[in-house]
Amino acid sequence: LFKHCFIFNELDSTNNEAMKSTYPHYSLIIAEKQYAGKGRSGRKWVSDEGNLYFSIVLPPMPVEQLLPLNISTGYAICDALRNYADVSLKWPNDIVFNNKKLGGILIETKFSGNILEKIVLGIGINVNQLDFSHDIKEIATSLAIITERQYRTEEILWQILNNFEKNYTDLLKKRIDIIEKWCKYSMNFGKMIKIHLDGEKMELIEKGITDKGELIAVDHFGNERKI
Ligand code: BTN
């Protein structure tokens, strides 16, 4: 799948780079560090050396496939990292260990009018970092902290890409067979989750995900909600 691979010492953000029109579909943009790494919801993604930061340029797909793409990418990463540590998923696509974040996915899209032109799928995994700054120490972790060893980031990258390729081609064929497996890896499966829904903070029990990638949870009355 990945015929073009571009490796940089440093970038502002691999997602920004991948958005440039010069990169053909299925290009892989990798940076050793980023000085303006982006997280979801406008947050920054601290991107020191020693970790994995990469983006994949994907051709357009129907917009309703973007959430399943998020879900199946999260699964691909978690399955690869499970070769090293007992990491879990947190819907929609956080990679966590003991409720501390180890990795995340940021999908960005480019539209021309209302036509989706390009998808950039960015992945960040904390691999070798041993120390995090004060503000994120309590919420961030890395593979090296969990397992007390260092890694070659390429080794982890290739495993993630292998898994990704399989799940992505399945997704394009509308074969989504990772739902059960996703639930097994989900840190909150069968547990209580607190969620803001319709302006209200609710306590629900996580029951699974739909094939559209929505989270299924039930309230105290047994009513099912899709989020
Ligand atoms: C999240 O908030 O969970 C998403 C984090 C995504 C970080 C990755 S690192 C590579 C790519 N480039 C960016 O600027 N962000 C993503």
Side-chain angles (χ1 to χ4, degrees), residues 13-15 34 37-40 45 54 101 104-106 122-124:
S13 147
T14 56
N15 268 27
Q34 305 181 114
K38 299 186 286 183
R40 280 211 318 269
W45 186 259
F54 64 99
K101 195 150 155 170
I105 301 165
L106 177 65
I123 297 175

Side-chain angles (χ1 to χ4, degrees), residues 47-66:
S47 308
D48 300 339
E49 220 165 335
N51 300 323
L52 261 178
Y53 313 105
F54 64 99
S55 300
I56 303 170
V57 180
L58 294 175
M61 54 177 14
V63 179
E64 57 284 4
Q65 295 253 55
L66 291 176

Side-chain angles (χ1 to χ4, degrees), residues 161-188:
L161 292 178
N162 256 330
N163 285 355
F164 173 83
E165 180 164 346
K166 187 190 171 302
N167 290 348
Y168 174 76
T169 38
D170 278 357
L171 189 67
L172 294 185
K173 291 184 206 134
K174 310 229 161 20
R175 261 202 330 247
I176 303 172
D177 66 352
I178 55 145
I179 290 182
E180 261 176 52
K181 294 189 267 182
W182 191 95
C183 293
K184 281 204 187 109
Y185 285 174
S186 172
M187 66 171 268
N188 287 323

Side-chain angles (χ1 to χ4, degrees), residues 8 11-20 22-23 29 118:
F8 296 84
L11 283 174
D12 56 343
S13 147
T14 56
N15 268 27
N16 291 354
E17 185 66 25
M19 258 312 164
K20 294 180 181 166
T22 39
Y23 294 108
I29 319 291
K118 181 170 180 168

Side-chain angles (χ1 to χ4, degrees), residues 14-227:
T14 56
N15 268 27
N16 291 354
E17 185 66 25
M19 258 312 164
K20 294 180 181 166
S21 50
T22 39
Y23 294 108
H25 293 150
Y26 303 113
S27 292
L28 191 63
I29 319 291
I30 305 169
E32 280 165 22
K33 54 184 173 176
Q34 305 181 114
Y35 57 85
K38 299 186 286 183
R40 280 211 318 269
S41 316
R43 285 187 290 264
K44 64 174 185 172
W45 186 259
V46 176
S47 308
D48 300 339
E49 220 165 335
N51 300 323
L52 261 178
Y53 313 105
F54 64 99
S55 300
I56 303 170
V57 180
L58 294 175
M61 54 177 14
V63 179
E64 57 284 4
Q65 295 253 55
L66 291 176
L67 185 54
L69 176 66
N70 252 304
I71 298 286
S72 66
T73 306
Y75 178 78
I77 298 169
C78 189
D79 200 40
L81 298 185
R82 281 219 166 197
N83 290 320
Y84 309 100
D86 205 12
V87 299
S88 300
L89 289 164
K90 189 171 173 187
W91 187 86
N93 58 23
D94 285 349
I95 315 293
V96 292
F97 181 84
N98 275 347
N99 215 4
K100 287 188 172 185
K101 195 150 155 170
L102 184 88
I105 301 165
L106 177 65
I107 295 185
E108 295 188 279
T109 47
K110 187 169 170 191
F111 281 83
S112 154
N114 51 12
I115 313 269
L116 181 58
E117 247 184 11
K118 181 170 180 168
I119 302 171
V120 166
L121 174 74
I123 297 175
I125 315 281
N126 299 332
V127 180
N128 289 314
Q129 190 158 357
L130 289 173
D131 216 6
F132 288 92
S133 61
H134 189 66
D135 50 329
I136 55 169
K137 231 185 178 61
E138 295 305 314
I139 53 167
T141 191
S142 72
L143 218 46
I145 293 176
I146 303 167
T147 57
E148 299 181 331
R149 57 161 279 210
Q150 294 282 301
Y151 295 84
R152 285 176 53 233
T153 47
E154 312 86 81
E155 175 187 325
I156 292 164
L157 174 67
W158 298 129
Q159 295 189 49
I160 293 174
L161 292 178
N162 256 330
N163 285 355
F164 173 83
E165 180 164 346
K166 187 190 171 302
N167 290 348
Y168 174 76
T169 38
D170 278 357
L171 189 67
L172 294 185
K173 291 184 206 134
K174 310 229 161 20
R175 261 202 330 247
I176 303 172
D177 66 352
I178 55 145
I179 290 182
E180 261 176 52
K181 294 189 267 182
W182 191 95
C183 293
K184 281 204 187 109
Y185 285 174
S186 172
M187 66 171 268
N188 287 323
F189 183 64
K191 296 193 185 133
M192 210 229 308
I193 48 174
K194 291 181 182 154
I195 272 183
H196 281 279
L197 210 60
D198 311 324
E200 234 187 296
K201 198 168 180 185
M202 299 187 77
E203 291 183 348
L204 304 167
I205 305 285
E206 183 178 308
K207 284 280 171 198
I209 48 173
T210 68
D211 57 5
K212 296 192 185 85
E214 306 145 303
L215 190 74
I216 310 168
V218 289
D219 64 20
H220 297 302
F221 307 106
N223 300 320
E224 208 171 271
R225 306 271 190 145
K226 284 181 193 152
I227 298 146

